[in-house]
Amino acid sequence: MTDLVKLSDFLVTGDKDNAIATAKALLESGTAPLDIINNGLITGMSRVGELFKEGEMFVPEVMLSAQVMTETVATIKPYIKEGEMVYKGKIVIGTVKGDLHDIGKNLVALMLENNGFEVINLGSDKGPNDFLAAIEKHEPQIIALSALLTTTMPMMSKIIEAVDKEGLRPGVNVIIGGAPVTQDFADKIGANGYSEDATGAVMLCQKLLHP
Amino acid sequence: MLIIGELINSSRKAIRPAMEAYDAKAIQELAIEQAEAGANYIDVNCGTFVDDEEERMAWLVQTVQEVTDLPLSIDTPDTNVLARGLSLCKNGQPFVNSITAEKDRFAATLPLVAQYHAKVVALCMDDNGMPTTKEERVDIATRLINGLTQGGVPLEDIYIDPLVKPISTADQAGRDVLNTITVIKEAFPTVNFICGLSNISFGLPNRKWINRAFMVQTMTAGMNGYILNPTDQVMMAMLYASDALLGNDPFCGRFIAAHRKGLYEDI
């Protein structure tokens, strides 16, 4: 087993000490830092996403793996040369106004971050003005809206209307998700994309920004 | 122990079609089933009908009251819907599910609780959202209790819901609820507590077992109300046993009655 495979295994099992030790050993043996991130950590995190989707892994384990990923990346980062890091894009994410559910949305944020996107997490209960302000401040390529209640889904449509009223598309893509949300609903309200889970959300953002 | 039966709720996939079709018989069967299983209140929620929630609520309240004498718990954040539901309640003291410490919602809901002399679920959240620490929870609960009692609601009619969060995303969430109950009870010994039992296990396998264990633990800490599915036989079996063990069941009467009804057979 190569050290990169070992690293991705340690990520899946949430073994922080061994993950960091393996990353350090890889750096010392001359493996490029980005190679470690792309072929060790991101590979591991994709597997976490798949196992979660299949019901083989559970929420606390995903959170632990994500934490191990963040800490391992922090160990590797000082070795990355300026301009070497591929920047995949910026995403503003939040749960819409009237809705306080943030677990699924936070999982999506974690997965996006761990796949190379910069994520601004607004939290929950955010309306059109919150998103417009965040677009102005952070200049994201994507805003991601989450709703867990059928009663707050119409707010997604209101936010899209506000974004269009300001003429912010096509510069900004709007994607949506959450338990009661469907592709049909996304089409109906004119969203740029929909995903039913966190792994799908990563793929969706890749597709939108790097077709 | 106060049990609110939670099954008549339009966000449950199993019941949604019956509600859409105004299928009174299906709704009434659910009400009867929960009453027979030991519920003290029947919760009614039609929150997914965004356009005509008020009319749906009126229909639900009347439909359920045709077959049971149990009082109802009117479950909606919309005060118009709540007012309509309460105005139709005729089976004794209704339950308002729920009030929060959010300024506007509190101001709009309190007069209805007082007018109908209702019991009330008081959710520990305010305009800053859901609390993350024990201190925040206790602070919000204290404000709720003071505000409600000043508005004329007796302490015995207030049921504090500490707002249970999943242990899968915050592993101290269960412990926090238990500590919250203890601290609030010290300040307000006669206030009541209530909670749902499914949030705690979100994101984990074998959720039923987490839910059941949490029911026993919260009851030990002082929880005396639950919003649950009373037809869950194991849950109810644990509930009566736990209540008797805590000294809340004189001469073990309810536990033995549950035994005679066959609750402990085939489980």
Side-chain angles (χ1 to χ4, degrees), chain B residues 77-232:
Chain B
D78 184 319
T79 39
N80 291 325
V81 178
L82 179 64
R84 182 72 179 277
L86 287 170
S87 74
L88 295 166
C89 285
K90 56 182 180 64
N91 288 2
Q93 187 180 24
F95 226 115
V96 168
N97 186 8
S98 52
I99 198 168
T100 67
E102 293 163 294
K103 264 208 167 90
D104 296 346
R105 185 161 163 194
F106 186 86
T109 310
L110 173 61
L112 290 169
V113 178
Q115 183 189 341
Y116 290 96
H117 304 289
K119 289 181 186 288
V120 60
V121 176
L123 294 178
C124 285
M125 56 181 276
D126 62 11
D127 290 304
N128 297 319
M130 289 201 257
T132 49
T133 64
K134 184 189 78 186
E135 287 73 20
E136 285 170 7
R137 272 204 187 82
V138 171
D139 171 57
I140 298 173
T142 306
R143 275 188 278 140
L144 278 165
I145 294 169
N146 289 336
L148 283 165
T149 48
Q150 279 157 24
V153 181
L155 209 48
E156 304 79 59
D157 284 341
I158 303 172
Y159 284 73
I160 297 292
D161 183 333
L163 268 190
V164 178
K165 285 183 163 184
I167 50 169
S168 63
T169 58
D171 54 21
Q172 297 301 305
R175 182 85 251 172
D176 272 354
V177 168
L178 302 178
N179 291 341
T180 302
I181 299 172
T182 310
V183 175
I184 298 173
K185 250 186 127 52
E186 270 169 27
F188 303 97
T190 56
V191 79
N192 300 288
F193 293 89
I194 196 162
C195 71
L197 285 169
S198 50
N199 273 2
I200 191 72
S201 60
F202 172 85
L204 290 170
N206 311 311
R207 294 184 63 175
K208 280 185 174 172
W209 291 99
I210 302 268
N211 300 349
R212 289 164 186 164
F214 194 57
M215 190 269 293
V216 174
Q217 291 180 328
T218 48
M219 196 187 285
T220 307
M223 185 76 64
N224 60 343
Y226 293 97
I227 302 171
L228 51 71
N229 169 10
T231 67
D232 177 342

Side-chain angles (χ1 to χ4, degrees), chain A residues 84-106:
Chain A
E84 222 178 9
M85 189 87 181
V86 187
Y87 182 68
K88 286 196 183 165
K90 198 188 279 187
I91 300 165
V92 164
I93 190 169
T95 306
V96 300
K97 196 158 191 56
D99 205 325
L100 296 169
H101 294 88
D102 61 359
I103 293 162
K105 181 260 299 167
N106 288 344

